Each structure stands twice: as C-alpha cells, then as structure tokens.
Amino acid sequence: DDFHYGNFPEGFKWSVSTSAYQIEGGWNADGKGESIWDTFSHTPGKIANNETGDVACDSYHKVKEDVNLVKMLGVQQYRFSISWSRIFPDGTTSYVNQAGVDYYNSLIDSLLKIGVEPVVTLYHWDLPQALEDIGGLLNETVVDRFNEYADFCFKTFGNRIKFWITFNEPYVITWLGYGIGVFAPGINSSPGEAPYQAAHNIIKAHAKAYRTYEKFYKGKQGRIGMTMSTEWAEPKDPNNPSDVEAADRFLQSILGWFAHPIFKNGDYPEVVKKQVNERRTQSRLPVFTDAEKVEIAGTADFFAINGYTSRLLVFNLVHPTPDWLQIVPWGMRRLLNWLDREYGHPTIYITENGVGTSDATVDDQIRVNFYKAYINEALKAQQLDGVDLRGYTAWSLMDNFEWNSGYGPRFGLFEVDFNDAMRPRTPKRSSIYYNQLIRNNGFPLLQRDERITGDFPLNFIWATATSSYQVQHYVNIRIMFNLYNDGTNGDVACDSYHKFDVDIELLSSMGVSHYRFSLSWPRILPSGNRTTINHAGIAYYHALIDGLLAAGIEPMVTLYHWDLPNALQEEFGGWVSPDIQDLFVEYVDICFKEFGPKVKRWITFNEPWGNGVKAYKAAHNMILSHATAWRIYDTQFRWKQLGKVSIALSSDWYEPADTASTSDLEAAIRATDFRLGWFAHPIYLTGDYPEKMKTQVAKKRTPSRLPVFTDAEKVEIAGTADFFAINGYTSRLVTYQDKSTWPPMFNLVHRQEPIPGAIQATPDWLQIVPWGMRRLLNWLDREYGHPTVYITENGVGTSDATVDDQIRVNFYKAYINEALKAQQLDGVDLQGYTAWSLMDNFEWNSGYGPRFGLF
Ligand SMILES: *[C@@H]1O[C@H](CO)[C@@H](O)[C@H](O)[C@H]1NC(C)=O
Ligand SMILES: *[C@@H]1O[C@H](CO)[C@@H](O)[C@H](O)[C@H]1NC(C)=O
Ligand SMILES: *[C@@H]1O[C@H](CO)[C@@H](O)[C@H](O)[C@H]1NC(C)=O
C-alpha cells in the first residue's frame, strides 16, 4: 500500500468514459429503433424503482454541454459508445437513420475541435430489439449483422477515429444478460448453455469486424480491440496450491474465456473447456472450427481492460459479497501484472475504472481517494513492474443510468440532477482532482515530500515512551474509570509492574538512549497525600530507574500522565479545584527527592489540553501547579541534581485551507492558540493566555470562563520550562467560518477537516501527514523564541496486532525525515525524538484496540 511518486510516460492517454444507453436518452427520438435495454427497462420490475434510460442525462440533446465537461477534465480521450439502433433502427443495413449519424458526427467533430481523441465502443450492451426478436446474440446471423454495422461505422466515422472497441465487457453481457437474466435481454432459462452460445457469437462477431477493419481501414485509420473485464482474484492462502489454482481458474473463466482465443490460439482456455464439459457428458461449450481459430487468434491491437475490484478465492468457493465493489487498489496492480505475463506483454489500456456512491453529493472525497489509490497502483505496474500500460480511463464522465440499479449508484466525475428537466451537470471534487492528476501526468514528488539524507547531531536523544496506566499492573489500587468499551481495563495492561526487566531488555535491543515513562501518583501516594506512602511503589520505580541506568539508558520521567489518585477526584473534584495545587507540589517534591539524583529530565504534565466545560479551570490549575513544581526544582534541586524540567504539550499542525487567505491563516493560528498556545503562551512567553484566546472566550459569555492569572502568578509562570517538549501526531486543515461551531464553549470561528488525500490511520483522529511535523516544529521555533525542542511523542496506531507493521516503518521514516529537515534545513534546535510507544498498550477509552507499539 505504499504510495509511489512518479510520472506516467509522455504520451500516456488520460481518458473518461460513458456509454450510449446510460447517458443519451432520446430513446425513440428522430427515428431511433428500440434496443433491448429500452424493452427491458420498460418492463416493470426489472430496474430499481422502475427507472428507465428514456431521458437519462439527455446527452442526445447536449453535445455541447458534454464536450465542455470533457474539456474541463483536460483528458486526451473520450470513450463513448454508438447506439446500434440509433444508426440502424432494425439492426440491419436496410435503413440508415441519418439523424443518428448526424448526432455522432457532431459529437466526434466537437471533440476533435477541442483536441480530444474519440474512443468509440461499437457495442455497449444495447442490441437492436429487432435482432433480439430473431434470437439476438444466440442467433449466429448476428455475426454478420454486427460486421455490417461495424463496417458502416468504420466507413462513416473512421476517418476521424483512431481507437475502436468492438464489444464492452462480454462476460457481463453473457452472464448477466443470458445466464442469470438481471440485465437485458433478461434470459435465464438455460444458464448452462445460453451464455456460452452468446459468448461464442460475440467472439466470432468481434473477429469478423476486426478482419474487416484490418483489410479495408487499418492502414489509413487506427487500432481496434475488445474491452474485457474481470475482478482480480486473490488466493485466500497464497501458500495453498488449491487456492492458487482456484484463483487462476476464476481469472481464466471470466477473462480468459474471451482473452485466450483473441490473444492466444483462437480457442478457449483448456481449464475452461475442462470445467464446462466436466459438468455434463454433452459439451455445452461450442467448438471453434480450425478456420475460425485462425480467424480469431490475434484480433486485438491492444489489451483493453475494465477493472474495479477484487475478491478472495478459496478452493471451490468464491467468497460471496453483498455489494460487488470493494475498494482494493493493490488488486489493480496485480491484475495488470497477470495480464502482462499471461498474454505476452501486450500494450494495455485501462478502459474503465471508478467507484459509485449512493448519494448525489459533489463533495466526493471517497472518489478522490479511490482514483488516487488505484491510479497509483497503475503507476506502480507501469514503472516498477514494466507493464506496458499506455492509458487510463475513468468511469464515468457523469452520473448516469446504472443499468438494473437505475439512478441509485453515482459513478460520475460530474453530478447530474435527474429531477431537473434540464439535467444540469455540476463538477464534483473528484473532477478537479482528476484534472490536476492529468496535468501532472501522475504523482510528481512535491518538493515538500522529498526525503533528505543526513545525520542528527551527536548526543541526539533517541527515546521511546510509555505511561504508567497504559502499561503497568495496578494491584490494590482503585481507579476511577475501570470499565471501558467491552469491559477491558488497565488492571493488568502489559503487566510492566512485574516485567520491567523485560521492558529494559526491549529498550536495550533497540538501542535507545532514553526511556520516557511516567510515575503513577497513586502508586506512590495511594490517597494522594503524604499520609500514606507506598514504599513498594517507590521501590518499584527505583528498581526500574536503576535497571535503565545499568543498561546505559537514561530515564525521562513524566510526573503526571493522567492517573490522578481517585481519592482526590472524589474529595474535591481533582483538577477543577485549586486545592489540587498543593497536593501536586507535595507529590512532586517527594519524587524530586527520591529519584532526582538519578533523573536528569522531568516532564511535569503530559498533554494538559482538554475539552469540555471544566477544561479551562483544570488547565488553569495545571499551569499553576506546573509553574510551582518548576520553581521548587529550580530553587531547591537544580544546583545539586543538574536536571531539566518541562511540560509535554500536544498539538496537531493546523494548516490553513487557503494559504493566501488571511482569514484562513488567522483561523489556523487561532486553532493553534486553543490547542498549544493555551499552555505554551503563559509558560514560554508572558505568563498569561494568548490575547486572542482571551477575547474569543470572553465573547461567548460574561464573565469569561477563562480564569485570570494575577500579576504575581504571571511572573511565577513565565519562563518555567527548560526545553520544549512536544507530542505531535497529525495535522488538520482549517477553514475560517463565520459562525460558532462545536465545541460551543470555544466558540471557534473555524472548521477543521482531515488533510485531503492523507492516509487514514488508527485511531480515527490520526491521518498521516509527515510534512505537518516539520511545520509544527518551525512554528514552535519562531513563536516561542528558538527553544530547545524534544519530540516527546510521535507514532501511529494500527487496528490489528500484526508484527508486520510496514505502515509504522513508513510512518517513522517519513516523520523523522521531516524532523531532520526542521533540524538541518530550518535551524530548529531539535535535540530529541521519542517514538510512541514502546509496546502495544491500553489505549485509554479505546481499550486494547489501537496498537501503537514497536513491540
Ligand atoms: C414497478 O412497477 C410494477 C408494475 O407496475 C409495480 O408492481 C411495482 O411496485 C413498481 N416498483 C416500484 C418500486 O415502483
Ligand atoms: C436467426 O436469424 C435468421 C434471420 O437472420 C432467421 O431466419 C432465423 O429464424 C433465426 N433463428 C432463430 C432460431 O430465431
Ligand atoms: C489524606 O487523605 C486521606 C484520605 O483521603 C484523608 O483521610 C486525610 O485527611 C488526608 N490527610 C491530609 C493531611 O490531608
């Protein structure tokens, strides 16, 4: 799933596609004959909501509009289909409907005028009903009828067409139309025979048209092939030969059924013959004569493939799927590689690929992500695997009639309002993305994302981190919340209380210079005050620290990582009460005395940021507690212990949605103030909250909910950190918004969204945005006067427990490289990096679901 940067070769064809019945409408306009889809959709009960293609997108009357959409995308090709019965109303050459010919001439000429090459499909499922009446694709005479129709099209339009497709997805035609009957013409009476007969005639019709083209037109015109389709079949267990065989058989019987005769020897694959004939003594698979085989073999100038999804194959069992389209980008790469090997390195065009949504929104981020991921896999096939891929076609230009599903699924790059008689088209987000992709001809590596090489300074701190509640074993200690999700709690967690020696071995094996862990206040002072001191708890931390030092690893100790003694919560509400300050200072004083001779780096609080109505009060007390703790260290301990004390603040990077917009910039700064500035501004700058935050909170309510520091407190608070400790994981896109939003207490006038295109990780709030780390570090550097910075947490979660965590490898590689850029190129005084987390642990209210561990 790694993302691959790079460009497609010059001359790569970007295309977009539609088909006649799905968009044209004008079902009986100007002399058009009926097709099997007219008949089928007019039969009640065949299509969702009894919808029809009678009007569809009304493209028959909207050449200019459609060509404009094509132009907006910037594609080099437009793939559309000709409606056979619009040209020959009864399917035969006995009568030509000139209005139909005019329509396609006008479409072709308009495309050429804007420099777009038409790609024409002759048969996209809409057989003239008159031919169906005499047996349709089951009657061998259809071979000649198709050839005559194709010949007419070559003669009439061919001087302007360089790229022809005879049939679109014969597998779908034969199986859905003649096997299970959910598509026109709806035949399901002999699924063991009809599909094979229809396929047989399609292959012969294709070959005959190909030979006609080859003989009379090819030299002066273009190229011709057939569009085939398949899902990628992934063996469930790649080490199980019968699963592998099942997957191969699946591909052969869906794709090879047509591709094998055309690209190989003029005949069906042996495995298909065997499989079909095994089921009955009388073979149901029709047989090609030797002359036919010669005529069929080699009748394609390129391999045209439609691919949407993948499925898992187990011996004798195709996994049933409720909806046919699961998003499996890597299946595209594997499919292209399979084609390449199986059919002798053909020139390949992807003639359809896309995704449907059930709603009509133009904000189709899912489609943006789909195209990004699938096209990236196509790029890998082309660049890394040497597949001769020459073009890519998005399905579809616009929302349209999705066969038996009616107008429900929306596949368009443009939205169509089917409730409006004018059928207005509106660009979706994906159309803009696709256009940008085409202009870039792929995914050029932004300078922003380029990797650099270099070393961090000597003595750089390499650390990993945990916190007490997340890893230790709580014996005899009552914790306020001990029920989470499905009843999991941190009672045992990783049992690090009993296994710290094992933890130290893990740390040694990684070669870290520091280990950041937290002390559990209630393990040291069970009731939160000095009345009872738990000597076992103190002994445990001494043993841990001594073990670390013996292994050459320095401890970096957090005093408060969220596990307040429950007694204090019950007694006076914990952090919302000023009473907490003295108790915290007492606790800290004990820790400095006990462990200070061995600990050189202290963190008072981890991520004091919070949410909810009481957060301002709690934060106020934490800032004051922190300041007092720092002052005590500074006056009483520093001279003999020579350590450093700080507070670990967390922040996302807040990227303005529009960097040229002053209001977006201001909104991003405000978001940062409410997250980081809330604590960093008092501690690193003035002793007081950021001005804009004060104004903002005051606006919401009088008196303001934001407590006020006295002048003496401000003096006490300012300058109480010996380094800047930052926890950073992700980034958000911020847009100015002129109204109150959630959370109401903040009255934030901005909106936050995920960074477009960023990889979503676990948990939900974590999108992978490496460059955000560099920007965050630069922000700190400028805003807070070039402090010494330690990254005290950074990492990514996964939802499964695998040790094969390539995603985490990629994450660390990318984020640490951005940290290196900040240090080397931008001059940020970065002196340490901490990976979160040493091992999988108790992830707070998410229980043991998200896995953040290096172990
Ligand atoms: C489709 O038409 C048939 C016959 O008129 C009717 O019974 C059925 O309820 C219709 N379905 C819908 C969804 O309107
Ligand atoms: C096949 O088509 C021909 C005319 O092209 C017709 O004479 C014949 O009856 C058809 N066969 C069937 C089985 O409908
Ligand atoms: C310490 O906490 C315990 C239990 O909450 C309480 O009974 C005791 O009075 C407290 N001692 C002091 C000195 O506050």
Side-chain angles (χ1 to χ4, degrees):
D1 298 326
D2 261 8
F3 196 77
H4 177 71
Y5 287 97
N7 293 84
F8 286 95
E10 226 173 287
F12 189 81
K13 302 286 189 189
W14 294 98
S15 182
V16 66
S17 50
T18 59
S19 90
Y21 189 71
Q22 292 178 277
I23 64 162
E24 284 180 5
W27 74 283
N28 59 359
D30 307 333
K32 173 181 169 292
E34 279 186 45
S35 81
I36 54 174
W37 271 95
D38 292 315
T39 312
F40 193 68
S41 71
H42 292 160
T43 312
K46 297 293 187 195
I47 313 290
N49 305 314
N50 292 331
E51 285 163 344
T52 73
D54 288 1
V55 180
C57 308
D58 201 20
S59 286
Y60 181 64
H61 299 110
K62 295 195 184 304
V63 170
K64 216 185 274 166
E65 287 87 335
D66 288 357
V67 171
N68 271 336
L69 303 187
V70 169
K71 188 176 174 186
M72 280 171 75
L73 289 177
V75 288
Q76 285 93 41
Q77 296 182 332
Y78 174 45
R79 175 177 177 235
F80 61 92
S81 81
I82 292 178
S83 161
W84 187 342
S85 64
R86 198 180 288 290
I87 306 266
F88 295 128
D90 72 355
T92 76
T93 49
S94 64
Y95 173 68
V96 182
N97 175 32
Q98 191 55 41
V101 174
D102 293 345
Y103 167 64
Y104 294 112
N105 271 330
S106 143
L107 176 59
I108 292 165
D109 292 341
S110 309
L111 288 169
L112 292 174
K113 208 178 272 171
I114 60 160
V116 170
E117 188 184 317
V119 171
V120 179
T121 309
L122 289 164
Y123 188 84
H124 204 121
W125 310 356
D126 46 355
L127 187 74
Q129 181 61 37
L131 296 182
E132 181 59 29
D133 293 341
I134 52 165
L137 293 175
L138 301 177
N139 187 330
E140 202 183 333
T141 60
V142 80
V143 174
D144 287 328
R145 297 297 87 75
F146 179 77
N147 183 54
E148 290 152 12
Y149 157 61
D151 187 31
F152 176 87
C153 291
F154 300 151
K155 199 178 327 172
T156 311
F157 309 116
N159 58 336
R160 289 153 294 161
I161 308 295
K162 299 273 168 285
F163 207 119
W164 293 96
I165 307 283
T166 54
F167 287 84
N168 181 69
E169 302 187 0
Y171 173 81
V172 175
I173 301 172
T174 51
W175 185 243
L176 275 63
Y178 292 84
I180 56 175
V182 297
F183 276 14
I187 291 168
N188 58 6
S189 48
S190 57
E193 272 161 37
Y196 300 108
Q197 190 56 51
H200 205 68
N201 289 333
I202 287 174
I203 294 167
K204 288 204 284 190
H206 159 82
K208 187 152 195 169
Y210 181 92
R211 295 298 174 202
T212 299
Y213 190 75
E214 185 180 44
K215 197 157 160 200
F216 300 109
Y217 305 97
K218 196 169 183 170
K220 330 176 257 241
Q221 296 188 3
R223 292 175 301 160
I224 183 165
M226 181 198 263
T227 280
M228 283 164 274
S229 60
T230 186
E231 297 167 353
W232 168 246
E234 179 74 9
K236 176 140 196 256
D237 175 3
N239 297 316
N240 180 343
S242 41
D243 285 0
V244 174
E245 218 175 277
D248 194 63
R249 203 163 39 235
F250 178 93
L251 289 167
Q252 288 296 356
S253 46
I254 286 174
L255 186 63
W257 188 4
F258 303 94
H260 194 277
I262 293 170
F263 284 88
K264 295 193 129 172
N265 61 1
D267 200 3
Y268 299 115
E270 289 307 315
V271 55
V272 172
K273 287 202 257 185
K274 189 159 163 278
Q275 181 168 294
V276 177
N277 294 340
E278 250 172 18
R279 295 204 193 116
R280 241 200 234 175
T281 41
Q282 182 80 33
S283 171
R284 296 163 304 160
L285 196 64
V287 177
F288 293 119
T289 66
D290 284 347
E292 283 169 347
K293 287 181 197 167
V294 172
E295 165 138 321
I296 291 165
T299 54
D301 301 330
F302 47 83
F303 204 113
I305 184 77
N306 294 354
Y308 289 86
T309 188
S310 298
R311 62 177 63 215
L312 217 49
L313 266 288
V314 186
F315 177 61
N316 263 345
L317 177 75
V318 176
H319 263 214
T321 48
D323 293 308
W324 62 271
L325 209 170
Q326 279 85 40
I327 300 180
V328 189
W330 52 263
M332 175 57 86
R333 180 178 180 186
R334 294 191 185 185
L335 175 59
L336 292 170
N337 272 280
W338 192 86
L339 297 183
D340 184 68
R341 283 194 304 275
E342 179 73 10
Y343 300 111
H345 192 51
T347 294
I348 301 177
Y349 290 86
I350 295 170
T351 40
E352 282 182 30
N353 175 239
V355 67
T357 52
S358 55
D359 51 356
T361 177
V362 295
D363 189 4
D364 59 341
Q365 186 63 38
I366 186 177
R367 185 166 292 107
V368 170
N369 296 346
F370 180 97
Y371 282 128
K372 182 174 182 181
Y374 271 75
I375 295 173
N376 200 253
E377 293 296 326
L379 178 68
K380 290 180 197 169
Q382 196 275 328
Q383 288 213 330
L384 308 179
D385 312 332
V387 172
D388 186 16
L389 180 68
R390 304 282 183 93
Y392 175 90
T393 313
W395 181 274
S396 174
L397 177 60
M398 58 194 149
D399 293 341
N400 57 45
F401 180 78
E402 183 56 22
W403 310 109
N404 62 342
S405 308
Y407 294 99
R410 305 275 186 145
F411 275 85
L413 290 156
F414 290 85
E415 191 240 342
V416 177
D417 183 353
F418 295 104
N419 296 318
D420 185 325
M422 295 304 290
R423 297 294 191 270
R425 286 100 158 109
T426 312
K428 298 186 191 179
R429 190 188 278 265
S430 57
S431 68
I432 294 159
Y433 180 74
Y434 192 46
N435 170 259
Q436 179 196 327
L437 230 163
I438 293 168
R439 273 188 285 137
N440 291 333
N441 197 28
F443 307 92
L445 187 61
L446 297 176
Q447 204 184 355
R448 185 191 73 192
D449 298 320
E450 272 171 18
R451 297 270 162 86
I452 65 164
T453 53
D455 299 324
F456 284 96
L458 235 55
N459 300 326
F460 190 78
I461 288 179
W462 289 102
T464 183
T466 59
S467 91
S468 55
Y469 189 71
Q470 293 180 277
V471 300
Q472 294 170 9
H473 187 142
Y474 273 71
V475 201
N476 299 327
I477 290 174
R478 276 191 46 214
I479 296 299
M480 179 185 167
F481 298 105
N482 70 358
L483 280 186
Y484 293 92
N485 292 347
D486 47 355
T488 53
N489 58 45
D491 284 0
V492 178
C494 308
D495 201 17
S496 284
Y497 184 65
H498 298 107
K499 293 195 188 309
F500 67 89
D501 49 340
V502 181
D503 294 351
I504 293 169
E505 274 171 34
L506 302 186
L507 292 160
S508 288
S509 74
M510 277 194 293
V512 293
S513 62
H514 287 66
Y515 176 41
R516 178 178 173 224
F517 62 93
S518 78
L519 303 180
S520 162
W521 185 349
R523 193 184 294 289
I524 293 173
L525 305 175
S527 53
N529 63 31
R530 281 172 185 277
T531 310
T532 339
I533 294 184
N534 175 25
H535 294 285
I538 290 180
Y540 164 65
Y541 289 117
H542 273 302
L544 172 59
I545 291 167
D546 292 344
L548 288 169
L549 292 173
I553 298 164
E554 280 191 44
M556 183 188 291
V557 179
T558 309
L559 290 157
Y560 186 79
H561 203 122
W562 310 358
D563 44 356
L564 184 73
N566 194 47
L568 306 183
Q569 185 67 35
E570 283 179 351
E571 221 171 289
F572 48 76
W575 289 106
V576 298
S577 163
D579 294 351
I580 191 82
Q581 295 178 29
D582 288 345
L583 289 161
F584 180 73
V585 169
E586 262 179 37
Y587 158 61
V588 162
D589 186 58
I590 290 172
C591 296
F592 288 156
K593 276 201 189 91
E594 277 291 337
F595 309 116
K598 298 185 272 193
V599 173
K600 299 295 160 234
R601 285 183 182 78
W602 292 98
I603 306 282
T604 54
F605 288 86
N606 183 69
E607 304 189 4
W609 184 87
N611 208 329
V613 280
K614 291 181 175 169
Y616 290 130
K617 265 191 197 158
H620 201 74
N621 289 321
M622 287 187 209
I623 293 168
L624 286 165
S625 302
H626 160 81
T628 313
W630 189 89
R631 296 275 169 215
I632 285 175
Y633 190 84
D634 197 46
T635 52
Q636 299 173 29
F637 297 94
R638 191 190 296 281
W639 66 274
K640 53 187 172 191
Q641 297 185 350
L642 304 172
K644 294 182 196 310
V645 182
S646 186
I647 181 169
L649 304 179
S650 65
S651 189
D652 298 343
W653 169 245
Y654 296 99
E655 177 74 7
D658 176 359
T659 45
S661 147
T662 315
S663 46
D664 282 1
L665 273 168
E666 273 175 12
I669 292 172
R670 197 155 39 229
T672 314
D673 270 350
F674 272 81
R675 182 72 185 266
L676 186 62
W678 186 358
F679 305 93
H681 196 274
I683 293 170
Y684 291 90
L685 298 176
T686 62
D688 198 4
Y689 298 117
E691 284 309 314
K692 280 187 181 141
M693 182 180 186
K694 290 201 284 186
T695 334
Q696 193 68 36
V697 180
K699 258 194 217 164
K700 184 75 185 172
R701 224 195 224 210
T702 322
S704 172
R705 276 185 167 144
L706 194 64
V708 178
F709 292 120
T710 65
D711 284 347
E713 284 170 343
K714 287 181 199 167
V715 172
E716 167 110 346
I717 293 165
T720 55
D722 301 322
F723 55 88
F724 203 114
I726 184 78
N727 297 352
Y729 289 87
T730 189
S731 298
R732 307 281 292 166
L733 199 67
V734 179
T735 315
Y736 172 77
Q737 193 159 277
D738 196 10
K739 60 174 190 268
S740 319
T741 50
W742 180 262
M745 64 168 290
F746 289 160
N747 188 24
L748 297 183
V749 281
H750 65 254
R751 181 162 61 101
Q752 292 184 19
E753 299 168 282
I755 301 285
I759 298 169
Q760 175 65 51
T762 303
D764 290 348
W765 54 264
L766 210 169
Q767 284 87 37
I768 301 180
V769 188
W771 51 264
M773 175 56 85
R774 180 180 180 185
R775 294 189 187 186
L776 179 60
L777 292 171
N778 272 279
W779 168 266
L780 299 185
D781 185 67
R782 282 194 307 274
E783 185 75 5
Y784 302 111
H786 191 53
T788 293
V789 182
Y790 299 142
I791 294 169
T792 38
E793 282 183 28
N794 175 238
V796 68
T798 52
S799 55
D800 51 357
T802 178
V803 295
D804 187 5
D805 60 341
Q806 188 61 39
I807 188 174
R808 184 167 293 110
V809 171
N810 297 342
F811 180 97
Y812 283 129
K813 214 170 172 176
Y815 271 74
I816 295 175
N817 202 260
E818 294 296 326
L820 182 67
K821 288 183 201 171
Q823 196 274 328
Q824 297 217 330
L825 308 181
D826 311 332
V828 173
D829 184 20
L830 181 69
Q831 298 197 7
Y833 175 88
T834 313
W836 182 272
S837 176
L838 170 60
M839 58 194 151
D840 293 342
N841 57 45
F842 180 76
E843 183 54 23
W844 311 108
N845 63 342
S846 307
Y848 295 102
R851 306 277 186 144
F852 274 85
L854 291 156
F855 290 86

